[in-house]
Amino acid sequence: MTLEVKICGLKTIEALDAALEAGADLVGLVFFPKSPRNVSLDEAVVLAERARGRARVVALVVDADDAAIASIAARVRPDLFQLHGHESPERSAAIRAATGVPVMKALAVAEPEDLEVVASFVPHVDRILFDAKPPRRPDALPGGNGFSFDWRLIRDLDPGRPVMLSGGLTPETVAEALAITGVSSVDVSSGVESAPGVKDPERIRAFIAHAREADRLRERTRGSRP
């Protein structure tokens, strides 16, 4: 099992380069005006072209309309759409069909009942991302809040699609998260920032290094079992 690491919410060349040089597998660009990590289409084009061929480009959208999706698909040419709003299974399927771009649906988790919707998405998406349920505040963002959930809820979960873990991950917690969940993909945004929307290159490097080391330890542990 090869671990995939995604650094999300990148806005600057400096932060992007830090992620690429540290070996990020996926880099996320946020298209959501309420987010401190939001980028314009023009900014995204520059970042995506710099990353292309070195990491997969993920376009994160929140209940985006058809016009926005089409513009992002045409200009940014992402490798994956991350749907981080209230998109239904049908809407997820429609975006995938219209753009020809694979789709990852983010699902908010706080308790076991939140996993009951997983099966309805599986036929219509290429990946599932589990994130912490946002706080109940009018100004709360759908993601990037720095909150985690009980990782035991998805321990060794196999819904039939690749699973990615997000929510509250940091360089200090990623090893524990990997050990508990058994996931093969992790996603971080606020956990590698010095302020909301401001990526810290040192924390990006530390996160990726700690994640890789935890994965190597996990593989050695598996290999030593009788």
Side-chain angles (χ1 to χ4, degrees):
M1 182 188 300
T2 301
L3 180 71
E4 291 184 317
V5 180
K6 174 172 170 275
I7 308 296
C8 196
L10 295 163
K11 293 174 58 178
T12 67
I13 294 294
E14 178 190 27
L16 175 65
D17 284 351
L20 294 173
E21 290 162 8
D25 301 289
L26 303 98
V27 291
L29 307 176
V30 174
F31 299 89
F32 184 53
K34 294 181 181 179
S35 171
R37 303 165 189 97
N38 182 62
V39 291
S40 69
L41 270 176
D42 288 342
E43 291 169 328
V45 168
V46 173
L47 295 169
E49 287 306 312
R50 193 175 183 89
R52 205 170 312 280
R54 301 174 66 187
R56 278 166 286 167
V57 176
V58 181
L60 186 158
V61 296
V62 179
D63 300 316
D65 61 23
D66 289 347
I69 293 291
S71 294
I72 294 168
R75 294 196 57 197
V76 181
R77 297 187 294 126
D79 299 292
L80 186 69
F81 269 108
Q82 178 175 329
L83 311 182
H84 219 103
H86 297 94
E87 297 90 358
S88 66
E90 294 75 19
R91 177 61 176 158
S92 302
I95 290 172
R96 185 169 63 168
T99 63
V101 177
V103 164
M104 175 166 66
K105 181 67 182 90
L107 300 176
V109 179
E111 52 195 21
E113 290 74 16
D114 295 323
L115 299 176
E116 293 175 359
V117 301
V118 173
S120 66
F121 280 96
V122 168
H124 306 292
V125 302
D126 301 275
R127 290 173 174 241
I128 300 287
L129 180 144
F130 292 110
D131 198 357
K133 188 168 284 189
R136 295 186 177 182
R137 299 196 314 260
D139 62 338
L141 298 172
N145 296 296
F147 297 119
S148 61
F149 62 93
D150 184 351
W151 295 322
R152 293 172 297 179
L153 293 174
I154 64 166
R155 186 196 302 269
D156 297 320
L157 179 67
D158 182 9
R161 290 288 184 270
V163 168
M164 182 174 283
L165 174 64
S166 188
L169 296 179
T170 69
E172 296 77 24
T173 65
V174 66
E176 179 185 8
L178 287 168
I180 289 173
T181 63
V183 298
S184 59
S185 302
V186 289
D187 175 32
V188 67
S189 186
S190 62
V192 292
E193 293 180 345
S194 57
V198 182
K199 291 292 186 285
D200 182 331
E202 285 302 317
R203 286 189 67 77
I204 289 174
R205 286 188 277 268
F207 183 88
I208 295 175
H210 291 181
R212 299 288 186 215
E213 178 56 33
D215 188 49
R216 285 191 288 269
L217 176 61
R218 188 169 62 171
E219 289 301 309
R220 287 198 296 269
T221 301
R222 286 197 186 100
S224 65
R225 290 174 183 167

